[in-house]
Amino acid sequence: MDQTESQDHASLASRFLSETFPELQNRDFLDHLSDVNHQLLRKILSITPLIIWAVDREGIVTLSEGGGLTKLGYEPGEWVGKSIFKEFADDAELIDLFNRTLSGEKNHLVRTVGAQTLDVEYTPLYNDEQQVDGFLSVAVDISEKVASEEELRRSEERFSTIFQVNPIAMCITEIDTGIFIEVNENFLTALQCTREEILGKSAFDIGFWPTKETRREMIEKVKNEGTAKELYFDFIIPNGTRLCTMLSAVQIYFRGETFLLSCVKDVTRERAALDELEKLNEHLEARVASRTAELQQAHASLNEEYTKRNRLYRALQQTEAKWRSLVTNAPDTILTVDIDGTILYLNHPIAGQKMEKVIGSSIYHYMNPSDIEKAKTILQEVFQTGKPHEMETEGVSRSGHKYVYSCRVGAMVSGGITVAAMVIATDITHQKLAEQELVRRRAELAHLSRLSTMGELAAELSHELNQPLAAINNYTNGCIRRIRLGTTSLDNLIEPLEEMSRQAQRASETIKRLRRHVQKSEVEHKKLDINLVIENSIALLEHEIQRNFVSLHLELSPEPLHTIGDAIQLEQVLVNLLLNAIEAMSEFPPEQRKLVIESDRDAHENLVICVTDSGIGLKKGEEKSIFETFYTTKQKGLGVGLSISQTIIEAHGGKLYPRRNKQGTSFFITLPLVHGDNNGGG
C-alpha cells in the first residue's frame, strides 16, 4: 500500500468522526465523555474496527475506545490515565511524532503492531483560546488489504517470470485495440525486432494480423469459449520476412485489467519441408518412374515416410490441442528446483510416478548418470549468473524405451535474488530419430547417383578393362606359340609372364576402384588426406579424360591436407564435378580443353579444392539455379548431381559454390581442416 492510499483510509475515518461528532474536537467534551448523554458515542465506537485515543497536553490518555482494541488484547478505556511518553519511551520515532502533534502539527503513520498493520492519523485538539490542548488519534486496521496486495504482487511476479523464460513466443495485448502491453524474448526473436519497436503499437501496425476481420473472429471465439486454439495464418514481420504461424489465445487478468494472452509458434519450416517433400515426390514420379525397380522401391519408401510424417504431424496437433493453461497443462515438462537440485514444483507426473512422490526428490535421480555432472555445473551457473542454459539428456523409461530431452534452465528471480531455477524439458526423441533417418536417406540417394554415373560411363569402363585383358590374351598366345615351336627357353618367358601379371594387377585395381565407388555402405566419417581422395577420383575417370583429349593439370598442396569425412561421398562429388567439366569442354577443339585441379588452405584455416575448366561456362544468374533439384542443361541428365553434391559437402560442414570466369567455370569446395592426430569419429 502506498503512502497516499494509507492517508486516505485514516483521514476518511477521522473526517467521518469530526463531521458526525464535531464536539470531539473540544477538549472539555472529551473530559466529560462519561456523561450519560454521550453513551451513544461509546456504543458506536465499540462496534467499529477503529481505535480512538484522546491525549491531553501532558501526554495522559483521556479516551481509549473502539472495537479495534480487542484485537490488540486491550479493553475499551484500559489505557485511560496512562502516559504515552512513559509507555512508548523506547520508541524515539513515536515520541518525536507525539511532540510534533502536541506542537500543532497534523501527522500520519502506518505502524505494525503484532500481526496487525494500523493506519493512524494524529490530529491536534485546541481549547477556546486556540491553543493545543492535546491530540486525537484515529487508527484503522489495514492488515488484510496489505496482505492481499502483497499476494497479488507475488502472483504477478511468478506469472511474469514464467512468461519471460517460456520457450514459446508469447505476447499480451489489449483485447479491443490489439495494442501490445508485454512480450517475451522469444516473441522478439521470432519477429526479429526490439521491445521498443513493439510495445505501445497495435498488432496491425506491425502486420501481425492479415485482416481486422480475422482478429475480430478470433476475439469472438475467445469471448464465447474462453480460448482460441491452433489458428494458422501468414504475416510479414518488420524486416519483410513472411512467416507461417500457429496461434492460441486466452483471456487473462493482469495488472488489474483483462487482456489477451497469445502464444505464437513459427511453423514456416514445417510447412516448407512438407511442400518440398511433395515437390520432390512429384518430380520423382515424373522422371524416375522408368528407372530401376530399386528406385521404385525408394520412391515407395519416400511416400511411406511422407505418410508417417503427416501422421506424426497430425498426432502432434491433436496432442497440442489438449493443453488448457500456460503451465499446468503445458506439453513440456516444467519443473522448479533449488540450488541442490531438489524438485520444488512439477506441472505433470514424470517417469510414471505420482506428483507427491516426485516433488521433494532430486532431479538427478531421473537423469542419465553421464549427464549429472554437467547438469550440476549448469545449475550452479544459473544461480550465480542468472543466465539461461540449454543441454540435452537421455534416459530409459521403465518399459525400456530410450528418450531424449532438450532442457532449458532459467533463473527465477525475486527481489534481485535467484530463489529457484526453472527447467523446461522438451522431448526431442522423434526429432533425433528423424535426423538419423534423413542422413540414411541422403546416403541412399547418393548411392543411386553413383550407380547412375557408373551407368553413363559403362562403355568407357568396359574399354578400360578390355585393354589389360586383351594384353593378357596376346601375351598368353605368344607364350603358347613359343612353347609349342620349342624356340624359347624358360628365361625368355619370364618377361612376358611379368607383363601379364602387371596387366592382371591393372585390371584388378580398376575393378576394385569401381566396386569401392558403387558399393552401398554406411556413411563413415574418418580422417582423410584430401589429395589422396583427388587422385582416386582421377583414377576412376582416367580413360574418360584420355578419350576426350582433356589436358589435366594438378596443382596439389605439397603438404597433406586432412579433414574428417566419408571418402566415397567426397570422391562422388569430385567425379561429378570432373564429368561436368569434361562435358562443358566437349564443343571446343581438343587443344583448348584444359582441366585444372588445385588443393590448398585458405586464410580461415579451411582446406580448399578448386576444379576449373575452359568450357562454355555458366550463364548469368545460373550460380544458384544449378544446385536446384532436377535442374539440368543436359539432354539425358536427371539434374540431381550438383544438388546431391551440395548436400554431401554441407553435411561435411563445408560449402560448394561456382565462379564464372572469362572462359569456363571454377567450382570451389571448402572443408574443415583437421590438425594433429585428431582421428575424428567413425
Side-chain angles (χ1 to χ4, degrees):
M1 178 182 297
D2 59 34
Q3 186 72 12
T4 302
E5 190 175 356
S6 297
Q7 292 176 357
D8 289 344
H9 282 86
S11 297
L12 180 62
S14 180
R15 189 166 59 252
F16 170 76
L17 289 171
S18 299
E19 294 176 357
T20 306
F21 304 100
E23 57 267 37
L24 279 174
Q25 305 298 320
N26 189 293
R27 174 78 259 168
D28 295 334
F29 168 78
L30 294 173
D31 292 338
H32 301 89
L33 190 61
S34 59
D35 293 346
V36 176
N37 292 335
H38 301 101
Q39 292 304 311
L40 175 61
L41 175 59
R42 286 180 175 275
K43 188 173 182 179
I44 293 175
L45 294 177
S46 67
I47 63 175
T48 65
L50 303 176
I51 299 174
I52 302 176
W53 279 6
V55 180
D56 64 16
R57 66 172 63 89
E58 282 78 26
I60 303 301
V61 178
T62 60
L63 174 66
S64 174
E65 297 293 340
L69 284 170
T70 58
K71 290 186 178 181
L72 297 177
Y74 302 106
E75 294 295 331
E78 183 176 343
W79 277 78
V80 174
K82 294 183 180 182
S83 171
I84 60 174
F85 293 108
K86 181 183 294 185
E87 297 294 334
F88 298 102
D90 295 335
D91 193 334
E93 181 181 359
L94 196 55
I95 294 297
D96 178 66
L97 184 142
F98 292 155
N99 287 324
R100 285 188 283 110
T101 305
L102 290 172
S103 298
E105 178 183 337
K106 191 174 183 179
N107 288 288
H108 175 266
L109 177 67
V110 175
R111 179 177 175 82
T112 300
V113 181
Q116 297 184 59
T117 301
L118 301 178
D119 185 6
V120 190
E121 183 172 274
Y122 299 88
T123 305
L125 297 176
Y126 298 90
N127 57 20
D128 294 338
E129 287 76 22
Q130 294 300 308
Q131 295 177 341
V132 177
D133 202 23
F135 66 81
L136 181 68
S137 168
V138 179
V140 180
D141 185 356
I142 60 171
S143 304
E144 292 184 1
K145 182 171 183 62
V146 170
S148 63
E149 289 181 347
E150 177 63 18
E151 180 59 28
L152 178 61
R153 185 192 65 78
R154 291 178 180 175
S155 175
E156 289 193 354
E157 186 177 71
R158 288 193 295 269
F159 171 81
S160 180
T161 300
I162 295 173
F163 179 83
Q164 290 299 336
V165 303
N166 202 289
I168 301 173
M170 304 175 69
C171 65
I172 300 175
T173 57
E174 293 183 355
I175 295 179
D176 295 329
T177 65
I179 292 176
F180 287 94
I181 302 302
E182 186 58 88
V183 296
N184 67 358
E185 290 299 324
N186 282 313
F187 187 87
L188 296 175
T189 301
L191 268 65
Q192 300 180 26
C193 59
T194 64
R195 188 177 299 274
E196 291 73 18
E197 294 172 337
I198 292 293
L199 296 184
K201 295 184 179 179
S202 74
F204 303 105
D205 292 337
I206 64 170
F208 190 75
W209 282 94
T211 64
K212 291 186 177 180
E213 179 64 20
T214 305
R215 187 177 188 274
R216 188 191 64 77
E217 293 175 356
M218 184 274 290
I219 294 299
E220 290 297 324
K221 186 177 180 68
V222 171
K223 289 182 177 179
N224 295 334
E225 303 178 12
T227 181
K229 309 172 193 174
E230 299 179 2
L231 304 177
Y232 290 89
F233 63 89
D234 294 342
F235 71 89
I236 300 175
I237 64 176
N239 69 358
T241 303
R242 180 179 295 275
L243 296 182
C244 178
T245 62
M246 180 180 71
L247 178 141
S248 297
V250 66
Q251 291 186 91
I252 62 169
Y253 188 72
F254 181 66
R255 296 175 182 172
E257 298 183 48
T258 301
F259 294 105
L260 186 72
L261 173 65
S262 302
C263 301
V264 184
K265 182 179 181 181
D266 183 0
V267 295
T268 306
R269 293 185 178 180
E270 289 85 343
R271 286 291 180 89
L274 290 176
D275 293 342
E276 180 63 22
L277 192 56
E278 290 179 357
K279 180 180 178 181
L280 182 61
N281 284 336
E282 292 175 358
H283 283 289
L284 285 173
E285 290 175 358
R287 297 195 178 203
V288 191
S290 61
R291 286 294 181 181
T292 64
E294 186 175 1
L295 284 176
Q296 292 177 350
Q297 183 178 2
H299 175 62
S301 298
L302 285 173
N303 277 334
E304 181 181 358
E305 181 65 22
Y306 172 67
T307 303
K308 287 180 180 178
R309 292 192 178 189
N310 269 343
R311 190 182 301 116
L312 288 174
Y313 183 69
R314 289 194 298 269
L316 179 60
Q317 286 182 315
Q318 294 172 1
T319 300
E320 291 181 347
K322 297 177 181 178
W323 73 286
R324 291 296 181 267
S325 65
L326 179 61
V327 176
T328 306
N329 298 319
D332 296 331
T333 300
I334 302 177
L335 313 92
T336 58
V337 297
D338 63 15
I339 193 170
D340 297 321
T342 302
I343 299 175
L344 306 176
Y345 169 80
L346 176 67
N347 66 332
H348 54 66
I350 60 174
Q353 300 191 27
K354 295 182 178 180
M355 297 276 285
E356 55 269 20
K357 185 176 181 180
V358 175
I359 295 176
S361 62
S362 174
I363 192 175
Y364 306 123
H365 177 71
Y366 307 98
M367 295 180 62
N368 189 322
S370 61
D371 296 332
I372 291 178
E373 286 304 319
K374 180 180 179 181
K376 287 183 178 180
T377 301
I378 288 177
L379 192 59
Q380 290 291 332
E381 291 181 359
V382 169
F383 271 88
Q384 291 173 4
T385 65
K387 295 181 179 179
H389 288 264
E390 294 184 3
M391 68 170 291
E392 290 185 4
T393 183
E394 63 179 28
V396 181
S397 65
R398 288 184 173 183
S399 59
H401 294 289
K402 290 185 177 181
Y403 57 84
V404 182
Y405 278 102
S406 174
C407 301
R408 179 180 175 86
V409 186
M412 296 183 65
V413 181
S414 178
I417 300 175
T418 300
V419 297
M422 174 174 288
V423 181
I424 301 176
T426 303
D427 188 347
I428 59 171
T429 307
H430 294 297
Q431 177 183 335
K432 289 293 184 181
L433 293 175
E435 291 175 356
Q436 295 172 3
E437 181 65 13
L438 181 59
V439 171
R440 190 178 70 83
R441 292 294 184 188
R442 286 174 175 171
E444 287 185 355
L445 193 57
H447 177 241
L448 295 176
S449 177
R450 292 198 298 274
L451 290 176
S452 176
T453 301
M454 290 300 101
E456 296 175 3
L457 298 175
E460 287 74 13
L461 294 173
S462 63
H463 181 73
E464 185 173 349
L465 286 174
N466 188 54
Q467 287 182 341
L469 293 177
I472 293 172
N473 183 59
N474 291 336
Y475 280 112
T476 302
N477 290 334
C479 291
I480 292 173
R481 285 196 304 271
R482 291 183 183 182
I483 293 172
R484 285 177 176 174
L485 294 174
T487 59
T488 185
S489 63
L490 293 177
D491 291 339
N492 292 333
L493 294 176
I494 291 176
E495 183 177 350
L497 289 174
E498 288 178 343
E499 185 60 30
M500 290 167 59
S501 175
R502 283 193 294 272
Q503 294 297 329
Q505 183 66 27
R506 175 184 172 188
S508 175
E509 290 298 327
T510 300
I511 293 173
K512 285 181 180 179
R513 286 197 301 270
L514 294 177
R515 290 183 61 187
R516 175 174 170 271
H517 191 68
V518 300
Q519 69 181 354
K520 183 178 181 180
S521 61
E522 295 294 331
V523 178
E524 182 180 12
H525 288 276
K526 61 181 181 180
K527 189 175 181 180
L528 304 171
D529 183 351
I530 203 65
N531 288 341
L532 183 59
V533 174
I534 294 173
E535 293 172 358
N536 289 339
S537 303
I538 294 172
L540 286 170
L541 301 176
E542 184 176 357
H543 184 268
E544 185 73 7
I545 293 172
Q546 294 175 356
R547 187 179 69 85
N548 285 275
F549 302 102
V550 173
S551 175
L552 177 63
H553 299 270
L554 294 180
E555 298 179 10
L556 305 183
S557 170
E559 59 176 341
L561 298 175
H562 293 106
T563 189
I564 301 297
D566 184 88
I568 299 298
Q569 289 193 351
L570 293 179
E571 287 178 10
Q572 177 181 353
V573 174
L574 286 169
V575 166
N576 185 66
L577 293 179
L578 294 175
L579 286 175
N580 288 347
I582 292 172
E583 183 170 351
M585 297 184 292
S586 61
E587 298 180 4
F588 289 81
E591 61 272 11
Q592 295 183 16
R593 300 173 187 175
K594 182 179 179 181
L595 180 60
V596 180
I597 304 176
E598 304 170 79
S599 69
D600 204 346
R601 66 172 70 193
D602 63 11
H604 303 289
E605 285 301 301
N606 295 316
L607 68 82
V608 181
I609 306 169
C610 179
V611 178
T612 303
D613 64 66
S614 58
I616 57 177
L618 295 176
K619 298 178 181 179
K620 188 175 182 179
E622 279 189 328
E623 292 88 343
K624 292 183 179 180
S625 59
I626 58 174
F627 292 107
E628 294 178 1
T629 308
F630 304 117
Y631 178 89
T632 181
T633 57
K634 303 177 183 179
Q635 295 182 353
K636 298 181 180 180
L638 275 177
V640 296
L642 283 176
S643 176
I644 293 174
S645 298
Q646 187 181 55
T647 300
I648 291 174
I649 296 302
E650 289 178 351
H652 282 72
K655 294 182 180 179
L656 171 62
Y657 57 92
R659 185 188 68 194
R660 296 171 59 240
N661 302 325
K662 290 184 178 180
Q663 181 177 353
T665 307
S666 295
F667 277 86
F668 293 88
I669 301 173
T670 63
L671 292 169
L673 187 63
V674 175
H675 300 279
D677 298 327
N678 182 7
N679 292 323

